[in-house]
Amino acid sequence: MRLFLLPAAVAVSMIAVAAGAQTAIQAGEWETTEKTEMEGMQPMQPSSKKVCLAADEAQLERLLFPTPDEIKQHGCKYEPGAKKAGVLAATLTCPPNDQTPGVTAKAEITYTQTSYQGVGELVAADKSGTTVKGKSALSGKRLGDCPK
């Protein structure tokens, strides 16, 4: 996904996969929404997508994050937050490279079996030290069974 051209919500969306946290949710068709604001930039349009989760992939992480391999490939470091029932919290730090800035993203997502919502904070810094801060609102809901 995602982090690598830095749509900001993307970075926030990367947060928990590397930990291997598996947060069970109901299989089926889900609609996810991201709303992101970055300091000094024009407002971004909210983005929404529908995702069909099979029973064997019905985890919150599948909706929010790229694969652990993608995170590892970019040299990112994952730190889980405090464990609380119904809350997924984590921080992801990725170093800058020639194409993309470094990113520190913190997120806290509250979830049930059929919905989630949360916030993320993002700081992006390029190799010259220029930083940009941002915030994201993340949400999703189960719509029903996957279309056939």
Side-chain angles (χ1 to χ4, degrees):
M1 161 178 161
R2 313 183 37 155
L3 168 71
F4 316 112
L5 286 178
L6 193 56
V10 177
V12 173
S13 292
M14 292 182 69
I15 293 199
V17 163
Q22 297 298 305
T23 343
I25 56 175
Q26 284 188 10
E29 185 177 26
W30 283 74
E31 182 174 40
T32 66
T33 303
E34 299 179 10
K35 297 177 186 176
T36 301
E37 298 176 4
M38 297 295 289
E39 288 180 353
M41 295 185 182
Q42 297 244 344
M44 296 178 198
Q45 292 292 324
S47 64
S48 179
K49 67 179 179 178
K50 291 182 180 176
V51 177
C52 182
L53 294 180
D56 64 342
E57 60 183 7
Q59 283 110 23
L60 182 59
E61 292 80 2
R62 173 65 179 82
L63 292 174
L64 295 172
F65 313 116
T67 67
D69 287 343
E70 289 174 314
I71 291 172
K72 185 177 179 181
Q73 175 184 352
H74 292 278
C76 299
K77 180 182 176 188
Y78 170 83
E79 295 178 40
K83 296 193 185 253
K84 296 185 240 175
V87 178
L88 181 63
T91 300
L92 184 74
T93 305
C94 298
N97 63 38
D98 292 336
Q99 292 87 27
T100 61
V103 174
T104 299
K106 296 180 182 184
E108 186 165 308
I109 308 293
T110 302
Y111 67 94
T112 68
Q113 291 284 302
T114 58
S115 67
Y116 70 88
Q117 64 181 13
V119 295
E121 294 180 8
L122 174 76
V123 177
D126 64 20
K127 285 186 172 185
S128 71
T130 303
T131 62
V132 177
K133 294 180 182 180
K135 293 182 181 180
S136 293
L138 308 167
S139 62
K141 62 183 177 182
R142 185 177 184 274
L143 301 175
D145 293 338
C146 292
K148 294 185 181 198

